[in-house]
Amino acid sequence: MMTTSATIAQLKERHDLAFAKKGLAWALGSGMIWGLEGVVLGMALALAPFADSPLWLLAPLTASCMHDCTAALWTLAYNWRTGRLREVGRSIFSKPGRFVCLGALCGGPIGMGGYLVALKLAGPAYVMPITSLYPAVASVLAMIFLKERISRRAWLGLGLCIAGAFIIGYTPPESGVSDHFYLGLGIALLATIGWGSEGVLATYGMDLIDPTVALNIYQIVSGVFYLFVMLPLLGGWIVLSSALTSTSGLILVGAAFLGSCSYLLWYRAMNMTGVSRAMAMNITYALWGILFSALLTDVEITRNLIAGAVVITIGMVLVVGNPKEIANLRNVA
Amino acid sequence: MFNMKPPFRMMIASNLTDGHPRNSLELMDELRPLYGTERQFTREVVESHLQSLKAVGIVRDDEAEVDADGRLLVRYAITDFGRDKLRSSL
């Protein structure tokens, strides 16, 4: 009897550990695929009609719109295939579904839209460091609102992952600032809070909703908002109509597929390992993005890349820590 | 709204609010009339939902046994936090 109890206890521990490890692996996978997706997206943005310089803001916003709408269709197909199609309808109108919708607006138009506007107004040298703090914002919000347990080691690891992403993405500041420089910084801050809130709001909803379904809700809300609110306001349908019949549009469909896979893994991971760990693993896309760029394009491996890669790797190890600690994510009873 | 069924994960947690711990197979027996025709209605999906619900503190594990196939079969019970969460989510 003692032996049977011990075996069951061991099996339970192994069961929990396998679940936590799977979550960490998915979070890392989401960062890797997101890195690859960024490279493919970059290829699409380098072609007409997105590359036309007068369309500095409209082009990336149209690309974001196409990306989210196409990604929504990819995920819808996945949900249909796995028998979750009706679940999308019933979840979107539930109370937890409303939190996911709110998260979509924070992450899509506020996060991504704000990031693009801030880049134009204040430049990447100032905007990148601000926006790369979004996992830290998310972790603080997760600690406050989700009562998520975050150890000191995990905080340190998270800090290193952010620092590594910053080192890799660092761009020296250009001389002179635009008239709207400080407005740009403010919008970058807003985008950071938007991205940070997205993860927490989505995870709050996913407590009672399937992550795959929550992701689909996110993509549908974000895509519809871009398509029927943001683009009409900026006159972006002109770019959209020409992008739909171009090679760049086709590449974007591929990027959206990768984006869907990445988000799918990320959303599931947030529900399995907690927002802070999943965010820390996801931000490693900065590292994977450069590696994939080196493989697929002519980007050279710089000293910054190597330094950033080392810092991110140390950060990842600290965040992962002991997966046994992930069995219970929150301070709730 | 529109007389819809609740999301599957939410329904799994709701079924535990009577205070009796259940395992995935027992929950599937109860939920089959509502969700049984959907492709998502599998033991793997139900167990994945239960493990996620446990990770976020909505349910806790209770007794466990090994089934005829040698697979671990854990019974889950609702927590006070889970009960409050469900109440505020309806």
Side-chain angles (χ1 to χ4, degrees):
Chain A
M1 189 65 192
M2 279 289 281
T3 317
T4 313
S5 309
T7 312
I8 285 176
Q10 284 168 354
L11 278 174
K12 266 170 94 171
E13 195 180 313
R14 217 178 297 160
H15 193 235
D16 288 345
L17 193 61
F19 187 71
K21 280 183 178 171
K22 198 196 280 183
L24 289 168
W26 282 350
L28 185 63
S30 82
M32 287 175 80
I33 300 174
W34 194 245
L36 178 62
E37 197 255 8
V39 178
V40 178
L41 200 59
M43 289 173 178
L45 289 173
L47 298 172
F50 301 119
D52 298 345
S53 57
L55 306 170
W56 66 269
L57 176 61
L58 213 46
L61 281 179
T62 308
S64 296
C65 170
M66 266 187 82
H67 179 277
D68 280 8
C69 290
T70 320
L73 293 176
W74 280 121
T75 312
L76 209 58
Y78 176 82
N79 280 329
W80 167 75
R81 187 75 191 84
T82 54
R84 292 178 167 96
L85 208 53
R86 274 182 272 182
E87 195 70 7
V88 176
R90 62 174 76 119
S91 298
I92 209 165
F93 294 110
S94 68
K95 208 167 169 184
R98 279 179 235 154
F99 283 95
V100 178
C101 292
L102 196 60
L105 294 176
C106 286
I110 296 175
M112 182 53 80
Y115 172 67
L116 294 171
V117 175
L119 272 183
K120 176 63 185 170
L121 298 179
Y126 300 96
V127 171
M128 289 288 287
I130 296 174
T131 51
S132 62
L133 288 173
Y134 79 89
V137 172
S139 299
V140 171
L141 294 175
M143 218 169 69
I144 298 169
F145 295 107
L146 300 178
K147 312 275 181 241
E148 194 165 303
R149 287 187 185 133
I150 308 173
S151 68
R152 278 188 201 162
R153 189 197 54 236
W155 272 115
L156 182 65
L158 177 65
L160 286 174
C161 285
I162 292 170
F166 170 60
I167 293 168
I168 288 173
Y170 176 74
T171 316
E174 290 165 15
S175 55
V177 291
S178 75
D179 296 341
H180 304 293
F181 177 72
Y182 292 105
L183 178 66
L185 292 190
I187 294 174
L189 193 65
L190 190 70
T192 310
I193 296 168
W195 274 336
S197 313
E198 177 208 339
V200 177
L201 285 163
T203 304
Y204 185 82
M206 284 188 295
D207 279 358
L208 293 168
I209 289 182
D210 190 307
T212 321
V213 172
L215 168 63
N216 219 166
I217 295 173
Y218 163 88
Q219 290 164 330
I220 291 168
V221 171
S222 178
V224 164
F225 192 84
Y226 272 123
L227 198 59
F228 296 110
V229 181
M230 254 176 146
L231 286 194
L233 280 176
L234 298 163
W237 277 9
I238 304 158
V239 187
L240 187 65
S241 54
S242 55
L244 283 172
T245 52
S246 66
T247 313
S248 56
L250 204 62
I251 299 174
L252 246 165
V253 173
F257 174 73
L258 291 171
S260 257
C261 295
S262 168
Y263 254 78
L264 195 61
L265 294 177
W266 188 39
Y267 265 49
R268 297 193 90 159
M270 280 199 289
N271 209 231
M272 295 165 82
T273 69
V275 176
S276 55
R277 285 178 202 86
M279 285 261 183
M281 304 297 267
N282 180 260
I283 202 174
T284 61
Y285 74 83
L287 166 66
W288 307 114
I290 300 283
L291 288 178
F292 285 122
S293 294
L295 283 173
L296 302 172
T297 65
D298 52 2
V299 167
E300 59 174 314
I301 305 286
T302 61
R303 231 181 269 174
N304 266 24
L305 167 63
I306 296 168
V310 171
V311 174
I312 285 182
T313 309
I314 298 169
M316 269 195 297
V317 172
L318 289 172
V319 167
V320 172
N322 182 358
K324 281 183 189 172
E325 293 169 8
I326 309 175
N328 293 301
L329 299 170
R330 299 183 190 167
N331 287 314
V332 291
Chain B
M1 192 182 269
F2 309 127
N3 234 353
M4 278 181 185
K5 281 179 267 189
F8 191 33
R9 180 178 287 193
M10 196 178 197
M11 197 62 179
I12 289 172
S14 292
N15 262 39
L16 294 170
T17 50
D18 64 4
H20 296 296
R22 293 174 184 79
N23 62 39
S24 56
L25 298 181
E26 290 163 344
L27 281 163
M28 284 181 79
D29 285 342
E30 290 170 17
L31 295 173
R32 188 163 286 113
L34 279 172
Y35 300 88
T37 56
E38 298 174 13
R39 273 198 302 270
Q40 64 165 333
F41 192 75
T42 64
R43 181 173 170 181
E44 282 68 31
V45 170
V46 174
E47 283 183 356
S48 167
H49 282 320
L50 285 166
Q51 277 201 284
S52 290
L53 288 166
K54 186 199 158 198
V56 299
I58 291 174
V59 302
R60 60 174 170 77
D61 52 17
D62 200 72
E63 293 169 353
E65 59 190 296
V66 177
D67 68 8
D69 303 323
R71 285 175 64 173
L72 186 68
L73 203 50
V74 184
R75 280 203 165 77
Y76 293 89
I78 195 92
T79 61
D80 290 341
F81 167 74
R83 218 180 274 278
D84 291 343
K85 172 101 186 174
L86 276 167
R87 207 174 294 132
S88 65
S89 299
L90 289 171

